Amino acid sequence: MGCCSSASAAQSSKREWKPLEDRSCTDIPWLLLFILFCVGMGFICGFSVATGAAARLVSGYDSYGNICGQRNAKLEAIPNSGLDHTNRKYVFFLDPCNLDLINRKIKSIALCVAACPREELKTLSDVQKFAEINGSALCTYNIKPSEYTQSSKSAGLCPKLPVPASAPIPFFHRCAPVNISCYAKFAEALITFVSDNSVLHRLISGVMTSKEIILGLCLLSLVLSMILMVIIRYISRVLVWILTILVILGSLGGTGVLWWLYAKQRRSPKETVIPEQLQIAEDNLRALLIYAISATVFTVILFLIMLVMRKRVALTIALFHVAGKVFIHLPLLVFQPFWTFFALVLFWAYWIMTLLFLGTTGSAVQNEQGFVEYKISGPLQYMWWYHVVGLIWISEFILACQQMTVAGAVVTYYFTRDKRNLPFTPILASVNRLIRYHLGTVAKGSFIITLVKIPRMILMYIHSQLKGKENACARCMLKSCICCLWCLEKCLNYLNQNAYTATAINSTNFCTSAKDAFVILVENALRVAAINTVGDFMLFLGKVLIVCSTGLAGIMLLNYQQDYTVWVLPLIIVCLFAFLVAHCFLSIYEMVVDVLFLCFAIDTKYNDGSPGREFYMDKVLMEFVENSRKAMKEAGKGGAADARELKPMKY
């Protein structure tokens, strides 16, 4: 753990308050519990790899328990088991497009074959000829290739006709169809709201035709996000007003363009459009109308919110300005989402690999259809529950480590009076403090979020399984519980982030830090409301600006491209990607603003600017404090609420 002190993490409120001092390990029992839990995850991984028969996962096996590409042992009471498949290295499904979403498997007989059919086989004669030429029998082992066209059993023992052209998946030796129509059937099973096959095919065709435009627009969203970060760094003082004006103008302009395009396409003569493209034109016109109405409603609501929020932006502007300075001194903060995403991807890859191995563990049993499945018996069959909890807890732990790292770096910046004395790399210094002192705090905070996520996921699973079966009252209760748990999770996430900031300042344990942060937030309730409405809303507007700009560029490009295709799905893909990119960049800025606000609130609580109790804050925030005091003196009793917020703590 690297912890070198056994002093109590809780600090006494009687002693002099000094931030960034008296470092000690916090929440050690929770760190030990987390390590023990990770050991359990490692045991599951080792057990699944050792007993899960990696050959069954990589090489695959047929419906009779035979592993492809090797000689197999006979399974008791299982017909067609114990075959020699040394020359049959690929798994072939008789009906590869028959997907069972509930049980998450392909409802088809699986066979080991010597080669995958690279061309479509339309008749049983073609299947027979393929077996004679390639030595690869595509019907079950009970029937010989010479009997394919003669036996009455061929209908159930041979693949569904026509057999789609397929190719082996690299490293996993499964024959996968290459025909896009088969993938369309998968999509139809997943997209339940699509009842017209022609609609689905037109959507897929639109994505394939517009793939270059989609890629270009995704790169555009990345460039716009980086430009916005540069703007935040250097003109943060006027960023709020710039974003407000740009978003209002962008919303008005985008709404006007949508109505103009709708009117233009509605007036365009339908006689010049060939019948095959008439349905596409009607779909595009209907989509434009929906977009235009939605944009109009959004613009009206946005304008009303701007009118309400315009008077509570002074502190937000000051915090944005200081946040811009933080990014100038700590440029590596911008890359924190990438490192976190990389760590999450590595963990998710490990988790999925273990889950795949876990799915092949157990002993062979015969199901109702007479085919072989591998199942775990006894208490070990519940290991996947432990594995799912590990997915949530460790993922939340990684995200919490990012929050603690950012909080530690920003706290170091804020409470260092002479910025020339900052560590050479505050981010690495924050990571070092996290590893040495606060991993237990992060483990405890992430576990609390896990305790809320698990019941919500269980309720969502129950709701999905009972969809269409439960009555209206039960459906309403389930949705209400899910909504309440979601709200509780968001509140706990916000409190956890502030608790990590308090831990970075005072080196207290999680409960003490959460209590201190909660008291500070309650004492500064009006400011919290202003930051969480104006500040976060301004950053949300930045995301909206990027999405609207990318979406508007997409509408113009997709509307005037030569290929006449449905561009609803490409536009949705582009806008979702643009929002995710903007969120990754601006979420760090949002986190920095929240950390700065808590530091500012604690600074004004413990210090009043007098000798010996000087403020740590930036000059911009000092100007805000002085302006607030002047305004309170002029307002008299009217400023009593704010006066309580600026009143220093008495010892």
Side-chain angles (χ1 to χ4, degrees):
M1 292 184 295
C3 189
C4 55
S5 172
S6 59
S8 174
Q11 295 182 350
S12 174
S13 60
K14 299 295 183 181
R15 67 175 178 82
E16 183 182 1
W17 176 74
K18 293 182 179 181
L20 306 179
E21 292 187 3
D22 300 325
R23 295 288 174 189
S24 58
C25 293
T26 55
D27 295 299
I28 297 178
W30 281 94
L31 177 58
L32 297 177
L33 177 63
F34 181 75
I35 294 175
L36 184 63
F37 183 86
C38 291
V39 171
M41 291 286 290
F43 168 78
I44 292 178
C45 179
F47 174 82
S48 60
V49 172
T51 63
R56 288 202 296 264
L57 176 64
V58 178
S59 300
Y61 59 95
D62 60 17
S63 298
Y64 308 101
N66 301 300
I67 299 176
C68 299
Q70 70 179 45
R71 185 186 298 272
N72 296 274
K74 178 68 177 179
L75 298 177
E76 185 178 355
I78 303 295
N80 293 326
S81 63
L83 300 179
D84 184 3
H85 286 327
T86 305
N87 297 323
R88 301 172 181 174
K89 300 181 179 181
Y90 304 102
V91 180
F92 175 78
F93 298 95
L94 299 189
D95 188 6
C97 296
N98 189 5
L99 182 66
D100 185 0
L101 291 178
I102 297 178
N103 297 315
R104 298 174 295 278
K105 62 182 181 181
I106 297 177
K107 295 173 60 177
S108 170
I109 298 176
L111 303 174
C112 293
V113 298
C116 302
R118 296 304 183 103
E119 297 180 356
E120 185 181 56
L121 307 178
K122 298 182 179 180
T123 63
L124 285 177
S125 299
D126 295 336
V127 176
Q128 185 178 22
K129 186 181 298 184
F130 178 81
E132 294 173 351
I133 296 175
N134 298 277
S136 184
L138 302 183
C139 297
T140 56
Y141 311 129
N142 299 330
I143 181 172
K144 298 179 180 180
S146 59
E147 301 175 353
Y148 285 178
T149 57
Q150 301 174 0
S151 177
S152 59
K153 301 179 181 179
S154 299
L157 301 180
C158 288
K160 182 179 180 181
L161 298 175
V163 180
S166 59
I169 300 176
F171 307 109
F172 287 96
H173 303 90
R174 270 76 168 178
C175 295
V178 297
N179 193 336
I180 192 173
S181 63
C182 186
Y183 293 127
K185 293 179 181 178
F186 278 99
E188 289 168 5
L190 294 173
I191 307 174
T192 56
F193 64 86
V194 175
S195 58
D196 185 6
N197 293 344
S198 61
V199 173
L200 180 61
H201 287 295
R202 289 201 302 272
L203 291 175
I204 295 176
S205 176
V207 174
M208 298 303 295
T209 305
S210 309
K211 56 182 179 296
E212 293 84 3
I213 295 178
I214 293 175
L215 180 60
L217 291 173
C218 291
L219 293 177
L220 175 64
S221 65
L222 180 62
V223 172
L224 291 177
S225 299
M226 297 180 69
I227 292 175
L228 186 58
M229 287 298 296
V230 174
I231 293 175
I232 289 176
R233 285 181 57 182
Y234 293 104
I235 58 171
S236 56
R237 186 181 293 271
V238 294
L239 174 66
V240 174
W241 302 115
I242 290 178
L243 282 177
T244 302
I245 295 172
L246 287 178
V247 170
I248 291 178
L249 293 179
S251 300
L252 292 174
T255 303
V257 169
L258 286 172
W259 283 112
W260 173 73
L261 289 175
Y262 171 74
K264 180 181 178 182
Q265 289 201 13
R266 188 177 182 182
R267 290 195 304 266
S268 62
K270 300 294 187 299
E271 294 79 6
T272 59
V273 181
I274 62 177
E276 290 77 8
Q277 296 179 348
L278 183 60
Q279 183 62 42
I280 295 178
E282 292 179 356
D283 291 341
N284 287 340
L285 185 64
R286 190 181 303 111
L288 276 175
L289 178 60
I290 294 174
Y291 289 152
I293 294 175
S294 302
T296 302
V297 174
F298 175 79
T299 302
V300 173
I301 295 175
L302 184 65
F303 185 73
L304 294 176
I305 293 177
M306 294 295 185
L307 290 178
V308 175
M309 297 293 182
R310 71 186 189 279
K311 294 183 178 180
R312 291 188 174 272
V313 296
L315 178 58
T316 303
I317 293 175
L319 289 174
F320 271 48
H321 180 75
V322 178
K325 290 185 176 180
V326 170
F327 280 98
I328 293 175
H329 286 85
L330 311 177
L332 293 180
L333 279 177
V334 179
F335 299 99
Q336 282 302 302
F338 296 100
W339 296 115
T340 303
F341 179 74
F342 180 71
L344 286 173
V345 168
L346 288 180
F347 170 69
W348 291 340
Y350 153 82
W351 189 87
I352 293 174
M353 182 200 70
T354 304
L355 183 66
L356 292 175
F357 278 111
L358 196 60
T360 60
T361 56
S363 56
V365 295
Q366 198 171 16
N367 60 18
E368 298 177 354
Q369 291 76 28
F371 302 133
V372 171
E373 293 181 353
Y374 290 90
K375 294 184 178 180
I376 308 175
S377 59
L380 294 178
Q381 61 182 315
Y382 302 106
M383 284 193 302
W384 72 275
W385 280 102
Y386 191 98
H387 197 55
V388 170
V389 174
L391 172 66
I392 302 174
W393 191 4
I394 297 178
S395 297
E396 290 295 328
F397 178 83
I398 295 173
L399 294 173
C401 285
Q402 173 186 274
Q403 294 176 351
M404 179 66 84
T405 300
V406 173
V410 176
V411 164
T412 300
Y413 171 85
Y414 187 96
F415 289 106
T416 301
R417 297 189 187 276
D418 188 357
K419 306 307 179 188
R420 293 174 296 181
N421 295 331
L422 283 171
F424 179 70
T425 53
I427 296 294
L428 295 181
S430 179
V431 172
N432 178 57
R433 290 196 300 271
L434 167 65
I435 296 175
R436 293 183 62 189
Y437 304 115
H438 305 313
L439 285 178
T441 298
V442 172
K444 187 174 183 179
S446 57
F447 181 77
I448 292 175
I449 301 298
T450 304
L451 287 181
V452 180
K453 275 183 174 290
I454 292 176
R456 184 165 67 89
M457 293 180 64
I458 293 175
L459 290 178
M460 291 175 65
Y461 176 78
I462 294 174
H463 181 263
S464 65
Q465 293 297 311
L466 299 179
K467 192 172 184 180
K469 300 179 182 179
E470 77 279 16
N471 56 37
C473 181
R475 183 168 58 252
C476 180
M477 291 181 61
L478 273 175
K479 290 184 176 179
S480 299
C481 292
I482 293 172
C483 181
C484 291
L485 288 174
W486 180 84
C487 295
L488 177 61
E489 179 185 336
K490 294 301 179 182
C491 294
L492 288 176
N493 268 322
Y494 182 73
L495 181 60
N496 278 11
Q497 180 178 326
N498 287 279
Y500 298 146
T501 303
T503 298
I505 296 174
N506 296 322
S507 191
T508 52
N509 60 40
F510 179 83
C511 292
T512 303
S513 299
K515 182 192 69 175
D516 294 341
F518 181 76
V519 171
I520 292 293
L521 294 176
V522 171
E523 292 176 348
N524 294 269
L526 295 179
R527 291 176 177 172
V528 171
I531 295 298
N532 287 333
T533 53
V534 180
D536 292 350
F537 184 66
M538 287 301 107
L539 293 176
F540 172 74
L541 291 184
K543 302 173 187 178
V544 171
L545 176 62
I546 294 174
V547 173
C548 290
S549 301
T550 307
L552 182 60
I555 290 175
M556 302 301 293
L557 291 175
L558 293 170
N559 187 63
Y560 290 104
Q561 69 175 345
Q562 295 296 325
D563 297 312
Y564 205 78
T565 58
V566 176
W567 39 262
V568 175
L569 187 57
L571 188 62
I572 292 176
I573 293 174
V574 167
C575 290
L576 286 176
F577 183 84
F579 181 81
L580 290 176
V581 170
H583 178 73
C584 287
F585 278 91
L586 295 182
S587 62
I588 290 296
Y589 198 90
E590 180 179 350
M591 195 181 304
V592 169
V593 171
D594 289 338
V595 173
L596 285 174
F597 169 70
L598 190 66
C599 293
F600 168 77
I602 293 176
D603 196 10
T604 56
K605 178 176 181 177
Y606 284 90
N607 302 306
D608 58 4
S610 60
R613 297 177 63 183
E614 296 85 357
F615 288 123
Y616 287 91
M617 66 184 67
D618 189 88
K619 292 182 180 180
V620 177
L621 292 174
M622 289 185 183
E623 292 177 1
F624 168 79
V625 172
E626 293 300 326
N627 293 335
S628 299
R629 287 174 174 173
K630 292 179 182 179
M632 284 186 289
K633 289 180 180 179
E634 296 175 358
K637 295 182 180 180
D642 287 335
R644 287 194 298 270
E645 295 183 12
L646 288 172
K647 187 176 180 180
M649 171 177 271
K650 294 181 179 179
Y651 293 97

